[in-house]
Amino acid sequence: KVLIGATADNTRELWVYDTTNGNERRLTFDGLSWDSGVWHPDGKHLVGYTEPDYQSYLITLDGSEPHRALGSAILSSFSSDGLHMFYSQPQLDHGFDFDIYARPLDAPHEEGRPLVSTPTIEWYPELSADGKYLTYTSNESGVEEVYATTYPDLAGRWQVSRNGGNWAMWRADSKELFYTNQEGMFAVTVNDENGFSLGRPHKLFEFPSTGWSPEWSDGFDVTSDGERFVMVRPVQDETEDLSRLVVVQNWFAEFAAE
């Protein structure tokens, strides 16, 4: 199943698209302008957030429970066991500023622990499956780049991307990272056998940009084995089937052929 944010009834709502049969189901009907969401590891829940108030909610996929308010947070992710939540917390009293926080999913918002807090923007936190490293995006250099740090001690820091980067995601074995910028999709190998080290970013493929922002690239998702990617593409013909998704498979063969 693929979680999608799409406009309905003049507001942005969350939908689930079933790739096995092509069915789509609307999850939200409250008109809160949902920006995006992320799956909980159990596959039965997800977290989405609304704009412009930047409030996150835990949503039950089958609708059996009311949405649970999680407080001021955006762009959340989870530890592999689903017990801890990582998110970007708005600091709007300082301007358009966001910092990285973490807390147990069942803990109150006030118990959030600041992980990366600077005068610049930090967001898109993503913990590796082995729980040893945390990636996030920061614009401290003047350009948004992906960084990695150790977790939970936050003892080191490495720049992952070059020439811009967003939406970093880990392969399930914690041996590879994927991210996007305006040029396309990139992969970086990870090796920590003798200390943490990163390979040189290499471009996997280009993908159609929706052009929604000159600063931020389009988001994506990737399967746990890193072999299939899901992303949106612009619709040129308004009569075209809007339920179609772009799924890139066997990308390594395409890359090797170049």
Side-chain angles (χ1 to χ4, degrees):
K1 293 181 174 63
V2 179
L3 180 63
I4 302 171
T7 300
D9 300 330
N10 296 317
T11 188
R12 189 174 176 85
E13 304 288 354
L14 297 179
W15 302 66
V16 170
Y17 180 86
D18 193 327
T19 59
T20 62
N21 56 28
N23 290 336
E24 56 188 43
R25 180 167 66 90
R26 183 172 169 180
L27 291 179
T28 57
F29 297 84
D30 42 33
L32 289 180
S33 187
W34 295 85
D35 187 271
S36 66
V38 61
W39 290 103
H40 186 275
D42 67 5
K44 300 177 181 178
H45 299 82
L46 57 96
V47 167
Y49 77 91
T50 59
E51 287 191 334
D53 56 354
Y54 302 124
Q55 296 294 308
S56 282
Y57 299 84
L58 183 68
I59 301 173
T60 304
L61 186 60
D62 63 8
S64 60
E65 301 174 9
H67 300 349
R68 177 158 68 89
L70 298 174
S72 181
I74 68 170
L75 302 168
S76 302
S77 62
F78 297 97
S79 57
S80 59
D81 59 11
L83 298 179
H84 289 80
M85 173 182 171
F86 300 81
Y87 55 97
S88 190
Q89 181 167 308
Q91 310 291 341
L92 300 185
D93 53 336
H94 301 153
F96 192 71
D97 183 22
F98 297 81
D99 294 327
I100 304 297
Y101 278 67
R103 75 173 193 262
L105 181 60
D106 292 334
H109 183 263
E110 293 73 22
E111 294 186 12
R113 170 196 173 198
L115 301 182
V116 185
S117 179
T118 76
T120 58
I121 294 174
E122 290 86 30
W123 48 18
Y124 307 130
E126 189 81 18
L127 188 69
S128 59
D130 58 15
K132 296 166 61 176
Y133 303 100
L134 180 76
T135 56
Y136 62 92
T137 295
S138 172
N139 70 344
E140 64 179 65
S141 68
V143 177
E144 293 207 340
E145 301 281 5
V146 176
Y147 297 87
T149 185
T150 56
Y151 185 83
D153 57 356
L154 312 174
R157 195 175 73 139
W158 300 264
Q159 184 172 330
V160 177
S161 61
R162 298 290 184 271
N163 302 317
N166 272 299
W167 305 100
M169 301 191 74
W170 290 88
R171 201 171 68 190
D173 62 3
S174 304
K175 299 300 183 184
E176 192 169 30
L177 280 163
F178 306 98
Y179 70 87
T180 63
N181 61 26
Q182 299 289 9
E183 299 177 9
M185 182 75 66
F186 289 78
V188 178
T189 58
V190 178
N191 189 322
D192 66 349
E193 293 181 359
N194 297 299
F196 187 79
S197 65
L198 296 166
R200 184 179 181 86
H202 59 273
K203 186 175 180 179
L204 299 180
F205 53 83
E206 296 181 357
F207 58 89
S209 173
T210 61
W212 70 281
S213 169
E215 182 176 2
W216 299 309
S217 55
D218 294 333
F220 70 98
D221 204 352
V222 60
T223 54
S224 59
D225 60 4
E227 292 297 320
R228 291 185 294 171
F229 296 80
V230 179
M231 61 208 76
V232 297
R233 66 173 176 83
V235 176
Q236 303 298 332
D237 183 354
E238 292 185 358
T239 65
E240 189 174 355
D241 180 6
L242 299 184
S243 66
R244 295 181 62 188
L245 299 172
V246 177
V247 180
V248 179
Q249 304 185 71
N250 197 25
W251 60 264
F252 186 78
E254 178 179 337
F255 170 73
E258 296 180 356

